[in-house]
Amino acid sequence: MYQSFYTGALGAGSYMARMGVIANNLANINNNGFKPKTAAFSDLLNYNLNDSEDAVTELQSGNGVRMQRTYTTFTTDALAPTNAPLDFALVDNNTFFMVQDPVTGAITYTRDGHFRRGQLGEDFFVMTEAGKIVLDQNGERLAADLPDLERMIAALEEDYEEDEYESDDDDDYDDEEDLPRVGVYTFSNPSRLMSVGDNEFAAPEGMEAQLADSAKVQSGALERSGTDLAKEMAKLIECQRAYSYALKMVITSDEIESTINSLRG
């Protein structure tokens, strides 16, 4: 009888946690580049009935579940034109912009390409709305000097064609690889990235970002949130019903236990 209390309580707690994940997805439905999270559950314990512990039979009993983890799929969602020169949208799956905190130097990754021209000291850099500096293909801070910025945007609009990088006044732009541009990075296993808030992710220790040279970036556009309102509402209804059933199991178990205790009298 105590097992039914335990199983029901664990189920209710797990579905409360899942409702928190769904609520977070819905809260970010208007955030550019947001990727919804999915909750993954696992059985806490299964044991075989009428057999040994190691035997594999069709007759098993479980002892509840728990939310093991949440995972994110970094696929490209709908792009919306903005015509803003410092708005960039990633066209490829599993690609990210690399940004740096100017105070701590911490590196994080994001798919939100809504950038601006910001000042740090006497210099201007391409920054996020949170004040983090966008890094280029060499992992250096991307300067926002107007002539260079205009060349970079024009090059992106022409899909990185070599003739867009050439300049009659400066020989430094003869080589496409030397022109600073918005760096696009990828990971061999992006599902291991850890969410750190503000629509940003951090790589765990030992996980290195790789430059995605062939990745496409669309200028003057932003990637919309990946949250699907219809799907999330369907998940929410399913989760609420499962939560109520788990609580009903606890209530029923309590009623049976009270009846048994009264009969023992």
Side-chain angles (χ1 to χ4, degrees):
M1 185 56 63
Y2 293 110
Q3 180 180 332
S4 61
F5 281 108
Y6 177 73
T7 303
L10 281 177
S14 297
Y15 278 102
M16 281 187 65
R18 188 188 181 193
M19 280 191 278
V21 174
I22 296 172
N24 180 69
N25 292 341
L26 292 173
N28 288 277
I29 195 169
N30 292 319
N31 287 348
N32 297 317
F34 176 78
K35 299 301 170 187
K37 295 176 175 57
T38 303
F41 290 84
S42 64
D43 293 335
L44 287 181
L45 177 66
N46 282 320
Y47 65 92
N48 292 295
L49 300 177
N50 302 326
D51 210 324
S52 63
E53 293 183 358
D54 298 330
V56 178
T57 67
E58 297 296 329
L59 190 60
Q60 293 187 338
S61 177
N63 281 308
V65 298
R66 67 181 175 92
M67 192 174 77
Q68 184 178 18
R69 65 185 182 93
T70 60
Y71 64 89
T72 307
T73 303
F74 298 100
T75 55
T76 303
D77 288 291
L79 305 184
T82 63
N83 298 322
L86 287 181
D87 281 347
F88 303 101
L90 294 169
V91 180
D92 299 282
N93 299 334
N94 301 326
T95 53
F96 306 87
F97 300 111
M98 181 187 288
V99 298
Q100 183 183 45
D101 190 318
V103 178
T104 64
I107 301 294
T108 52
Y109 304 87
T110 182
R111 287 187 64 93
D112 183 2
H114 183 49
F115 303 142
R116 61 182 176 87
R117 187 172 181 261
Q119 185 174 6
L120 186 63
E122 297 181 355
D123 301 317
F124 288 89
F125 298 96
V126 179
M127 292 184 171
T128 66
E129 286 296 316
K132 296 188 177 181
I133 303 175
V134 181
L135 303 185
D136 62 15
Q137 74 274 26
N138 300 315
E140 302 293 336
R141 295 181 174 184
L142 185 61
D145 298 327
L146 289 179
D148 298 345
L149 202 58
E150 291 173 356
R151 289 190 183 97
M152 183 191 72
I153 294 171
L156 288 175
E157 291 175 350
E158 295 296 330
D159 198 21
Y160 297 126
E161 292 181 1
E162 292 184 1
D163 57 349
E164 293 294 331
Y165 291 94
E166 296 177 358
S167 171
D168 296 333
D169 300 326
D170 193 344
D171 293 335
D172 291 338
Y173 294 99
D174 289 341
D175 187 359
E176 177 181 341
E177 297 299 326
D178 293 336
L179 178 69
R181 53 183 170 83
V182 177
V184 180
Y185 295 83
T186 187
F187 295 89
S188 57
N189 189 5
S191 62
R192 293 182 56 201
L193 291 173
M194 299 178 296
S195 178
V196 293
D198 293 330
N199 209 5
E200 297 176 6
F201 298 85
E205 186 176 355
M207 186 176 175
E208 298 294 335
Q210 303 166 357
L211 183 66
D213 287 320
S214 60
K216 304 298 182 184
V217 179
Q218 183 174 340
S219 178
L222 288 174
E223 181 185 13
R224 294 307 187 193
S225 172
T227 300
D228 187 320
L229 180 60
K231 289 183 179 179
E232 295 300 326
M233 291 304 296
K235 291 179 182 178
L236 180 61
I237 294 172
E238 175 189 348
C239 192
Q240 288 176 329
R241 290 181 177 176
Y243 176 76
S244 64
Y245 293 154
L247 289 183
K248 190 172 183 180
M249 179 186 296
V250 175
I251 294 172
T252 302
S253 299
D254 180 64
E255 291 175 350
I256 295 174
E257 187 74 18
S258 299
T259 301
I260 293 175
N261 289 335
S262 65
L263 292 175
R264 288 175 179 173

